[in-house]
Amino acid sequence: MIIRPYTPDDVETLAALYRDSVTGLGATAYTPEQIAVWAAFADDLPKFRKFLSQGYTHIAEVDGVLVAFCQRHPEDHIALLYTATRFARRGFATAVYRAIEAHARECNQTVLTTDASKLSRPFFEKEGYTVCRTEQSFREGISFERFQMNKPLDAVASRSVTP
């Protein structure tokens, strides 16, 4: 596995990975309407490219295949964390997330936040995040429950970036 920075050439592959993750893994916790709205975020490639180019985005790659990605934007916020369905639960999200967290520590961040989905909440809890509050967000008039979470970095020892 290689962990590397995002490049604009990755956008189409990451858009497909994003849609695959939302439709494949999302089906276990969300309605078809929620999945359709959520997956559509990656359909506008110029907008998706611009979003990915903000902040700090890293990719996990195995044998030339992009399998997971994570984005920190702004500096203290995990904005995206997605794994291709066929590579889920094999440590790739953990590896790419931990690389992002290590970089946040190098940048002297003292806390990381995220707005976790029902699917990602257990992952973030395992990584030391706690829920600050639950909220309803809306996309295209469709409601999504999400969890505002945070993790202090100043009191937590650095972790290895390998799963």
Side-chain angles (χ1 to χ4, degrees), residues 6-12 49 53:
Y6 162 80
T7 68
D9 292 339
D10 296 322
V11 71
E12 289 182 22
R49 178 182 285 112
S53 69

Short mmCIF file of all heavy atoms in Angstrom, two decimals, residues 6-12 49 53:
data_model
loop_
_atom_site.label_atom_id
_atom_site.label_comp_id
_atom_site.label_asym_id
_atom_site.label_seq_id
_atom_site.Cartn_x
_atom_site.Cartn_y
_atom_site.Cartn_z
N TYR A 6 -3.15 13.65 -3.05
CA TYR A 6 -4.07 13.80 -4.18
C TYR A 6 -3.43 14.66 -5.26
O TYR A 6 -2.71 15.61 -4.97
CB TYR A 6 -5.36 14.47 -3.67
CG TYR A 6 -6.21 15.07 -4.76
CD1 TYR A 6 -7.04 14.27 -5.53
CD2 TYR A 6 -6.16 16.43 -5.03
CE1 TYR A 6 -7.82 14.81 -6.54
CE2 TYR A 6 -6.94 16.99 -6.03
CZ TYR A 6 -7.77 16.18 -6.78
OH TYR A 6 -8.53 16.72 -7.77
N THR A 7 -3.69 14.30 -6.53
CA THR A 7 -3.35 15.17 -7.65
C THR A 7 -4.63 15.37 -8.48
O THR A 7 -5.53 14.51 -8.45
CB THR A 7 -2.26 14.56 -8.57
OG1 THR A 7 -2.80 13.42 -9.24
CG2 THR A 7 -1.01 14.18 -7.78
N PRO A 8 -4.74 16.47 -9.21
CA PRO A 8 -5.95 16.70 -10.01
C PRO A 8 -6.26 15.57 -11.00
O PRO A 8 -7.42 15.37 -11.35
CB PRO A 8 -5.65 18.02 -10.73
CG PRO A 8 -4.71 18.73 -9.81
CD PRO A 8 -3.85 17.63 -9.22
N ASP A 9 -5.26 14.82 -11.41
CA ASP A 9 -5.50 13.69 -12.32
C ASP A 9 -6.30 12.57 -11.66
O ASP A 9 -6.82 11.70 -12.35
CB ASP A 9 -4.17 13.12 -12.82
CG ASP A 9 -3.43 14.07 -13.75
OD1 ASP A 9 -4.07 14.97 -14.32
OD2 ASP A 9 -2.20 13.90 -13.89
N ASP A 10 -6.40 12.57 -10.33
CA ASP A 10 -7.12 11.53 -9.59
C ASP A 10 -8.63 11.76 -9.54
O ASP A 10 -9.36 10.89 -9.08
CB ASP A 10 -6.62 11.47 -8.14
CG ASP A 10 -5.17 11.07 -8.02
OD1 ASP A 10 -4.72 10.20 -8.78
OD2 ASP A 10 -4.49 11.64 -7.14
N VAL A 11 -9.11 12.91 -9.98
CA VAL A 11 -10.48 13.30 -9.70
C VAL A 11 -11.52 12.31 -10.21
O VAL A 11 -12.47 11.98 -9.49
CB VAL A 11 -10.80 14.75 -10.15
CG1 VAL A 11 -10.86 14.86 -11.66
CG2 VAL A 11 -12.08 15.23 -9.52
N GLU A 12 -11.39 11.84 -11.44
CA GLU A 12 -12.40 10.93 -11.98
C GLU A 12 -12.43 9.61 -11.22
O GLU A 12 -13.50 9.08 -10.91
CB GLU A 12 -12.18 10.70 -13.48
CG GLU A 12 -12.51 11.92 -14.30
CD GLU A 12 -12.34 11.69 -15.79
OE1 GLU A 12 -12.37 10.52 -16.23
OE2 GLU A 12 -12.19 12.70 -16.51
N ARG A 49 -13.43 18.38 -8.10
CA ARG A 49 -11.99 18.64 -8.21
C ARG A 49 -11.60 19.82 -7.33
O ARG A 49 -10.61 19.75 -6.59
CB ARG A 49 -11.59 18.92 -9.65
CG ARG A 49 -10.11 19.24 -9.81
CD ARG A 49 -9.73 19.55 -11.26
NE ARG A 49 -9.69 18.32 -12.04
CZ ARG A 49 -10.53 18.01 -13.02
NH1 ARG A 49 -11.48 18.85 -13.37
NH2 ARG A 49 -10.42 16.87 -13.66
N SER A 53 -9.11 19.71 -4.04
CA SER A 53 -7.85 20.45 -4.07
C SER A 53 -7.67 21.37 -2.86
O SER A 53 -6.59 21.89 -2.63
CB SER A 53 -7.75 21.28 -5.36
OG SER A 53 -8.68 22.32 -5.34
#
